[in-house]
Amino acid sequence: MDILYAQIQADLRSNDALRQTGALLQALQQSAAGRDISILAKSAVEEIVASPASAVCKKLAFDLIRSSRLTADLWDTVLTGIRSDLHFPDPDVTAAAISILAALPSYALSKLITDSNAEISGCFDSHSDNLRFSITETLGCILARDDLVTLCENNVNLLDKVSNWWVRIGGNLLDKSDAVSKVAFESVGRLFQEFDSKRMSRLAGDKLVDSENSLAIRSNWVSSMVDFVWKRRNALMSRSLILPVETFRATVFPLVFSVKAVASGSVEVIRKLSKAGAGGGVNGSIVDSNAERLVGVSDVVTHLAPFLVSSLDPALIFEVGINMLYLADVPGGKPEWASQSIIAILTLWDRQEFSSARESIVRAVVTNLHLLDLHMQVSLFKRLLLMVRNLRAESDRMHALACICRTALCVDLFAKESVRRGQKPLAGTDIASLFEDARIRDDLNSVKSKSLFREELVASLVESCFQLSLPLPEQKSSGMESRVIGALAYGTGYGALNWTEPALEVVEVCRPCVKWDCDGRTYAVDCYLKLLVRLCHIYDTRGGVKTVKDGASQDQILNETRLQNLQRELVKDLREVNTPRICARLIWAIAEHINLEGLDPLLADDPEDPLNIIISNIHKVLFNVDSSANTSNRLEDVQAVLLSVQRLGSRNPRGSQLLSKELEEFRNNGLADSVNKHQCRLILQRIKYVQNHPDNRWAGVSEARGDYPFSHHKLTVQFYEAAAAQDRKLEGLVHRAILELWRPDPSELTILLTKGIDSPLLKLQPTANTLTGSSDPCYVEAYHLADSGAFRPSMSVLGFVKGVKVMFRSLVLIVLNLTELELNRVDIRVGLSGGLYFMDGSTQAVRQLRNLVSQDPVLCSVTLGVSHFERCALWVQVLYYPFYGSGAVGDYDGDYAEEDQQIMKLKRSSRPELGEPVILRCQPYKIPLTELLLPHKISPVEFFRLWPSLPAIVEYTGTYIYEGSGFKATAAQQYGSSPFLSGLKSLSSKPFHRVCSHIIRTVAGFQICYAAKTWYGGFLGMMIFGASEVSRNVDLGDETTTMICKFVVRASDASITKEIEADLQGWLDDLTDGGVEYMPEDEVKEAAAERLRISMERIALFKAAQPPPKTPKSDDEEEIEEDDEKNKENESDGDKKEGKENGKKPKGTLSKLTAEEVEHMALQTAVLQEWHVLCKERSTTVN
């Protein structure tokens, strides 16, 4: 290998272009094979880049540079070579030099752009097509990036230059060269895409914080390009038609984006953000009528439509179809535009082409389904259902299902409202017809099925109905969602109960789901029964079908009749239910709302009577001895049935007699445990009371509330069920898809326009930490930014004079020369410890700064990543060479005997012209462990289910002092800000999710639960228990100032708790910003012993101060008192068995409860007491 490398280097040193080309190709082969080619890259830089060479060699050398890592010295050589190549007479060499600009490190880009502005601008006027292509392509990549926008924010001259370059790129859209025109379209399209999604910046790893100015800069560029394309749209469409057909695809998106921005009015929003529209400059010049805007949109559609039919390229058909759907949504858009596009896209599916984009095809169609007319929506519906069923990715399938279910509700409501308004009815628009496909029907009617699709379908339909029952979201601007909301509002007529009509059809269509055997999964059936119970409560099915005399409308009578018939069908289906879990829940849903008064008394002995069927199935669940019932938590089923028995028996006399027999039989059976027997006795007493007092019974006992009290969530950790985990996963997927569709988060533009400077998208610069001492010759401070996608600390090195802080890429260094000399060279060295690594793979970052003028800041940056959850630190050294370039060795005679080997090696290897460096070592900048966490949203039920199963645990104690006295200083205070939790207030800004919706609070203590996950998938839960310490002098309610907090942290991996336990005070500082002080366990025990000693002394004082004992009583009095005590004991001991009433209670004053149990019971009592108070206040506020 050494021989090969030596041969390659020799060829690179030769002046033969052919040999150099072959050597560079060999070097690229070695790089592709994964070998270290840094030595070859060094030779290529010195022999090819820094010297005159052919364009081919330059291009290959730059490719080699991209595939390797260069030192700072070599990058300086590359920059020098680029500057000289910009003046090279051969335009192909200049084009090769321009192409490497996109690969330059960000810290070097700003200075090169500023210094070589004239040369770069001159490339646009070159006669060479290759040079114009290269400058348009390269600047199109660079100028849309986040880091350049941030540079422009702090450099007005640079901003003017970049804005002018965007104008030149726009001019190249009409360039005579096809290649230049195509790449200009791509560059403009990239600018628009970055404004919408920042896709390129995210792929590059940029996670910079948007400021108001950077957003205004990007908006200004976008609005100017939109105006340019809109004004010259006819010329651009003509230019695109004479491009080769394989490059036409690049021209579609810029045209469509610009035309839609003007037609929909969103360009006005962009102008507001850019702060340029008010100035009336270039951006404020477009004032077109609505007719002209619509004509512009129609022209673009006419321009694109032929490619849907004539093109053979699937990618082009898809691109044109998607963008025509994008245009069909503008005000005045026609359904024909959408139908053409959707037919063309579905043709791709039928031809089995573009199969890699199956998910994209379905997503495009279902998202834009509402743009079609009613006939086409109905005709496509069944086909789309089967397409969605065949999607592999769960998230795509859920999103498509949510869109389809919403469309079904829209179609049903819209068609019915149109009929009410006198229009001709359209066949197949009701819910039952839309889901009438044979495969779907067979899937719903089969008892067992391996596919989860039917459960997803039922859950999505039901959740969509519940979303329809809520107030529709307000739409302030026209767009894709406005048509859907308009159709739903038209169908419901903004009526409170109009949503129940499609919901009733959904309940009828999904009725077979109660017969399913889903291997223990219940989420879909629970959703169905919840909707059924809600509808029965709304229509009051207990009271039977209302009549016209009662004021019921014809629609209401029809709906109530359908619901009553559905209940009877469900009663018959009880015999075919396959699982006791579903059977018990279905019994509850039917028994709670069935019309018992409407049953025929003559059919009391008929086995087909609904009440007899219900009671026979109750018997089946109570006396279920199947072995599978024990493993599936039979207690839950019995509890559900007993709840139904209690409410059903108190409503109907015949039912109460039959159920009393069942309860007596079950109570005396061995299947009933002691809890069930006591419960049966209580239910029998209630039924007996209702039978004896038919006129005096309390109406609230059996009143239906419309609630469904069952869920698939389980708190039992001991019996893990895979079915419950699948249910939770399905619930999460369905809820996320439904909420994203029905209640989408507002866009970034909307948030910025409504909230302005208070928007959460505009983040403040973090506070900096000082890394140097007061007597150091340089002032260094550091701050960091973190993102889960790419961790990017940022650091600034400041002098004592005032300088401008600019955040550039990730690690930002602002170096100020504090001497009166002009320093020709300063090296910034950054070392890492812990899980940090440099994104370029090197072990140490060195940034070489040149020509530091006194008091003038110079910028550089470093990019970092984190490999795992571990404590990390950045170590910075500043080396500057006061004698660099002077040719004389400095007279600085330091004692280096105790220096480390690295510094000594640096001294020995430094070239004579550098001189002796002056070295400043800074304090390490530690990355807080909390920055490696993300908030993990989790329900309290799920959190407490997961908590005991987390294997790694660490416990520690912390204290903080707060000011305040009496009740106002406690957590139980309801109004105003209490100082009680002052030490933990910084936790709200940390990446933790507070699990409990309320803090469990007492007068003297609290409990808070938090959940987080690491960037690498580990789970971390934290509970904080607080107990307030009263000061020594308790007379007259002295101040309570000290809070003792017990922190319990549990994690899924021992490595997480190990890192936390290594430095508990550091972890507390990260959590609370220094607000809580760690207290070792020895001190905790000493403090507890001291408190116990003081308490014992006080008790001894109280005992000493007690009054003398009373005179002894006579024997008669003692006997009387003993009898009274016995009677009291017998009265209070209601749970003792018969035959043991005369048993005496063991004497003694010592309690068997431990101190911890007593404290826990006291805390529970206080929590319950305050919980009742909170509930009472909440209900008062609501009323």
Side-chain angles (χ1 to χ4, degrees), residues 611 615 645-664 680-698 701-702:
L611 185 58
I615 292 176
V645 167
Q646 175 183 324
R647 300 179 69 83
L648 185 61
S650 59
R651 282 177 53 203
N652 184 265
R654 181 164 68 91
S656 62
Q657 294 175 1
L658 296 173
L659 290 171
S660 297
K661 295 178 183 177
E662 294 291 339
L663 287 178
E664 287 289 355
C680 290
R681 182 171 58 84
L682 179 63
I683 295 172
L684 286 169
Q685 287 177 353
R686 290 191 174 185
I687 292 177
K688 186 177 180 181
Y689 176 83
V690 172
Q691 289 174 342
N692 295 336
H693 305 81
D695 299 328
N696 299 333
R697 63 179 178 179
W698 177 41
V701 170
S702 58

Side-chain angles (χ1 to χ4, degrees), residues 177-298:
S177 167
D178 288 344
V180 176
S181 177
K182 177 215 171 191
V183 82
F185 273 109
E186 289 177 346
S187 300
V188 174
R190 199 175 292 119
L191 172 67
F192 294 159
Q193 285 173 339
E194 285 299 286
F195 185 71
D196 263 357
S197 64
K198 286 197 175 182
R199 181 173 178 271
M200 189 177 70
S201 297
R202 288 197 174 99
L203 287 176
D206 289 335
K207 298 290 177 185
L208 297 183
V209 177
D210 265 338
S211 67
E212 195 175 8
N213 290 332
S214 66
L215 194 74
I217 290 168
R218 202 188 287 271
S219 304
N220 194 12
W221 296 343
V222 170
S223 60
S224 63
M225 292 309 299
V226 166
D227 293 348
F228 179 85
V229 174
W230 172 256
K231 287 177 182 176
R232 308 202 179 178
R233 61 186 181 277
N234 292 324
L236 291 173
M237 285 188 285
S238 302
R239 180 69 184 90
S240 66
L241 287 175
I242 58 175
L243 284 174
V245 69
E246 60 270 12
T247 61
F248 177 81
R249 183 182 166 198
T251 68
V252 176
F253 178 69
L255 272 171
V256 170
F257 182 91
S258 303
V259 169
K260 179 166 183 181
V262 175
S264 64
S266 61
V267 70
E268 304 298 332
V269 175
I270 300 173
R271 285 200 194 102
K272 288 180 184 177
L273 288 174
S274 68
K275 304 176 183 176
V282 179
N283 293 337
S285 58
I286 293 184
V287 183
D288 291 319
S289 64
N290 287 334
E292 187 172 352
R293 293 177 179 179
L294 192 56
V295 167
V297 175
S298 181

Side-chain angles (χ1 to χ4, degrees), residues 439-446 454 457-458 509 512-513 516:
R439 296 187 196 176
I440 301 297
R441 190 173 62 249
D442 292 344
D443 209 359
L444 287 175
N445 285 302
S446 67
R454 60 179 188 172
L457 176 62
V458 169
V509 168
C513 73
W516 292 348

Side-chain angles (χ1 to χ4, degrees), residues 971-1045:
Q973 182 184 5
Q974 297 302 310
Y975 307 104
S977 59
S978 168
F980 193 64
L981 299 172
S982 59
L984 303 175
K985 61 184 178 182
S986 61
L987 266 170
S988 59
S989 62
K990 303 298 177 184
F992 283 93
H993 170 67
R994 193 155 89 186
V995 176
C996 297
S997 57
H998 63 279
I999 306 174
I1000 301 176
R1001 299 173 297 182
T1002 63
V1003 173
F1006 64 87
Q1007 175 188 348
I1008 319 177
C1009 303
Y1010 290 95
K1013 58 182 177 181
T1014 67
W1015 289 1
Y1016 314 99
F1019 180 82
L1020 184 142
M1022 181 170 66
M1023 285 190 189
I1024 306 176
F1025 302 91
S1028 190
E1029 281 294 316
V1030 184
S1031 58
R1032 293 286 181 88
N1033 303 318
V1034 295
D1035 296 337
L1036 303 177
D1038 277 355
E1039 291 188 350
T1040 302
T1041 55
T1042 305
M1043 176 64 67
I1044 297 182
C1045 298

Side-chain angles (χ1 to χ4, degrees), residues 309-327:
V309 182
S310 61
S311 176
L312 297 176
D313 180 15
L316 177 58
I317 294 174
F318 186 73
E319 183 78 17
V320 171
I322 288 290
N323 283 279
M324 279 184 62
L325 287 172
Y326 191 61
L327 282 178

Side-chain angles (χ1 to χ4, degrees), residues 781-797:
E781 66 177 16
Y783 63 90
H784 72 274
L785 300 170
D787 186 273
S788 58
F791 177 73
R792 296 179 173 274
S794 300
M795 181 177 297
S796 54
V797 180

Side-chain angles (χ1 to χ4, degrees), residues 111-387:
K111 186 171 177 56
L112 180 67
I113 288 178
T114 306
D115 294 344
S116 306
N117 167 51
E119 292 82 358
I120 294 174
S121 298
C123 295
F124 284 103
D125 301 319
S126 172
H127 296 292
S128 168
D129 293 347
N130 187 24
L131 183 53
R132 292 200 312 277
F133 174 87
S134 182
I135 190 68
T136 307
E137 181 186 42
T138 305
L139 289 183
C141 289
I142 295 175
L143 301 187
R145 279 185 349 207
D146 275 357
D147 53 355
L148 199 89
V149 175
T150 312
L151 276 175
C152 293
E153 181 184 353
N154 296 279
N155 190 332
V156 179
N157 293 328
L158 186 63
L159 175 61
D160 294 338
K161 296 179 179 66
V162 173
S163 301
N164 183 52
W165 287 342
W166 273 120
V167 174
R168 300 301 301 270
I169 290 174
N172 279 353
L173 293 171
L174 296 170
D175 194 271
K176 62 182 179 181
S177 167
D178 288 344
V180 176
S181 177
K182 177 215 171 191
V183 82
F185 273 109
E186 289 177 346
S187 300
V188 174
R190 199 175 292 119
L191 172 67
F192 294 159
Q193 285 173 339
E194 285 299 286
F195 185 71
D196 263 357
S197 64
K198 286 197 175 182
R199 181 173 178 271
M200 189 177 70
S201 297
R202 288 197 174 99
L203 287 176
D206 289 335
K207 298 290 177 185
L208 297 183
V209 177
D210 265 338
S211 67
E212 195 175 8
N213 290 332
S214 66
L215 194 74
I217 290 168
R218 202 188 287 271
S219 304
N220 194 12
W221 296 343
V222 170
S223 60
S224 63
M225 292 309 299
V226 166
D227 293 348
F228 179 85
V229 174
W230 172 256
K231 287 177 182 176
R232 308 202 179 178
R233 61 186 181 277
N234 292 324
L236 291 173
M237 285 188 285
S238 302
R239 180 69 184 90
S240 66
L241 287 175
I242 58 175
L243 284 174
V245 69
E246 60 270 12
T247 61
F248 177 81
R249 183 182 166 198
T251 68
V252 176
F253 178 69
L255 272 171
V256 170
F257 182 91
S258 303
V259 169
K260 179 166 183 181
V262 175
S264 64
S266 61
V267 70
E268 304 298 332
V269 175
I270 300 173
R271 285 200 194 102
K272 288 180 184 177
L273 288 174
S274 68
K275 304 176 183 176
V282 179
N283 293 337
S285 58
I286 293 184
V287 183
D288 291 319
S289 64
N290 287 334
E292 187 172 352
R293 293 177 179 179
L294 192 56
V295 167
V297 175
S298 181
D299 288 345
V300 174
V301 171
T302 307
H303 162 68
L304 295 177
F307 290 92
L308 290 176
V309 182
S310 61
S311 176
L312 297 176
D313 180 15
L316 177 58
I317 294 174
F318 186 73
E319 183 78 17
V320 171
I322 288 290
N323 283 279
M324 279 184 62
L325 287 172
Y326 191 61
L327 282 178
D329 194 41
V330 300
K334 299 178 181 177
E336 293 81 10
W337 301 348
S339 59
Q340 280 179 289
S341 305
I342 285 182
I343 289 172
I345 291 174
L346 290 177
T347 305
L348 291 179
W349 180 286
D350 292 339
R351 285 160 45 185
Q352 295 298 313
E353 296 183 15
F354 213 44
S355 58
S356 60
R358 290 163 63 92
E359 285 80 8
S360 301
I361 288 175
V362 175
R363 182 176 281 260
V365 174
V366 297
T367 305
N368 297 280
L369 203 54
H370 58 276
L371 299 176
L372 303 174
D373 59 11
L374 212 55
H375 292 269
M376 192 163 183
Q377 287 188 40
V378 173
S379 63
L380 284 178
F381 197 83
K382 296 174 185 176
R383 182 181 178 192
L384 280 175
L385 261 178
L386 296 177
M387 291 169 65

